[in-house]
Amino acid sequence: MFYDAITDFIFVEDLPQKADIIFIPGSFCPELARHAAHLYQEAYAPYVLPSGKYSIKKDRAEQLKSSGIQDAGIRIWPENLPDTAVHEIAENAALYATESDFLCAILAAEGVQKQAILREPEATFTWENAIYSRRVTDQAGLTIRRAILCCKAFHARRCLMYYQQQFPDTEFLVCPVVVNEISRESWHRTRRGIDTVLGEVERCGGQFHEILADAAGISCKEWS
């Protein structure tokens, strides 16, 4: 079908392999941190780096609400997770100052050791997630030869493009999570899926105008 090219472009997915770090772009979706914690527990990487302050396009309350976080405790976290951890995080989700604070809490609840969690609390959109994550790894003196990227499935291509730009010598493996029921098989069947995925296609083109212009030393005024 005609949408196969869009599907293959947006929904990037790799099998996990041993890596130096697991990156989590900013989000109030706990599924991302849970998946990253699972990969950490399986010894795929010794560090996890969640990034994010909160979305520059939404205030924190709106972003939490759109993520469904207040009513997500029983539905998202598994039954074998201690009730105290589930309830503490679910009841206090709206109190976390940043996405990275929230993601760190999920990682800790899932058993990721404190010394393995790096933190980036300033990024307000995906491009900054990549830029500021690079600063964190540089400050920590880490050489990232291979990295795992845990992101939303429909966000995979844009995350990969941004992180690759900031880590040009790194091999990336995208290990995404399906959220909001938007997957490579189903995205074209709902209005929400269509709007979300085609919005990602537009952002992959539109947002890279400025990035590529800056890299090439071209003034953005020259595009007009």
Side-chain angles (χ1 to χ4, degrees):
M1 298 293 290
F2 69 90
Y3 49 74
D4 286 348
I6 295 174
T7 301
D8 291 340
F9 177 69
I10 292 296
F11 292 92
V12 185
E13 184 168 4
D14 302 296
L15 293 174
Q17 299 180 41
K18 295 283 186 179
D20 300 301
I21 198 167
I22 301 169
F23 290 114
I24 312 175
S27 174
F28 275 112
C29 289
E31 299 97 324
L32 304 185
R34 287 195 59 234
H35 187 44
H38 172 75
L39 293 170
Y40 168 84
Q41 297 289 8
E42 294 293 320
Y44 280 108
Y47 297 103
V48 185
L49 200 173
S51 170
K53 187 175 183 181
Y54 47 77
S55 172
I56 197 172
K57 294 183 178 180
K58 301 178 181 178
D59 64 34
R60 189 164 57 90
E62 181 185 358
Q63 189 174 358
L64 283 164
K65 183 178 179 180
S66 67
S67 297
I69 192 63
Q70 279 97 338
D71 64 339
I74 301 302
R75 176 167 56 86
I76 290 178
W77 288 293
E79 293 180 359
N80 62 351
L81 188 66
D83 288 343
T84 52
V86 172
H87 292 162
E88 181 180 356
I89 295 170
E91 290 174 2
N92 293 287
L95 301 180
Y96 287 99
T98 68
E99 295 168 328
S100 62
D101 287 332
F102 177 73
L103 294 169
C104 285
I106 302 296
L107 291 170
E110 292 282 8
V112 179
Q113 297 299 307
K114 182 178 180 180
Q115 62 269 24
I117 302 174
L118 305 178
R119 180 172 170 269
E120 189 295 296
E122 298 297 331
T124 59
F125 52 94
T126 311
W127 178 226
E128 286 186 346
N129 290 142
I131 294 173
Y132 298 163
S133 291
R134 179 60 194 253
R135 291 180 186 175
V136 171
T137 59
D138 284 351
Q139 290 170 359
L142 298 177
T143 299
I144 310 300
R145 297 180 177 85
R146 177 185 287 159
I148 293 173
L149 189 57
C150 282
C151 57
K152 300 173 185 177
F154 60 77
H155 197 201
R157 177 60 69 180
R158 189 154 58 98
C159 288
L160 178 60
M161 293 168 73
Y162 290 161
Y163 276 81
Q164 280 184 323
Q165 203 280 338
Q166 285 297 302
F167 293 85
D169 299 320
T170 299
E171 175 190 1
F172 277 92
L173 301 170
V174 182
C175 297
V177 179
V178 174
V179 299
N180 302 331
E181 299 182 346
I182 302 174
S183 68
R184 64 179 296 120
E185 294 82 14
S186 66
W187 71 266
H188 56 279
R189 297 174 185 163
T190 65
R191 175 62 184 268
R192 184 180 190 180
I194 292 169
D195 287 347
T196 299
V197 170
L198 294 186
E200 284 296 314
V201 173
E202 293 170 1
R203 292 183 189 94
C204 284
Q207 293 181 2
F208 259 76
H209 272 93
E210 184 174 348
I211 293 170
L212 292 175
D214 181 66
I218 302 171
S219 169
C220 289
K221 294 181 181 179
E222 296 181 35
W223 294 112
S224 60

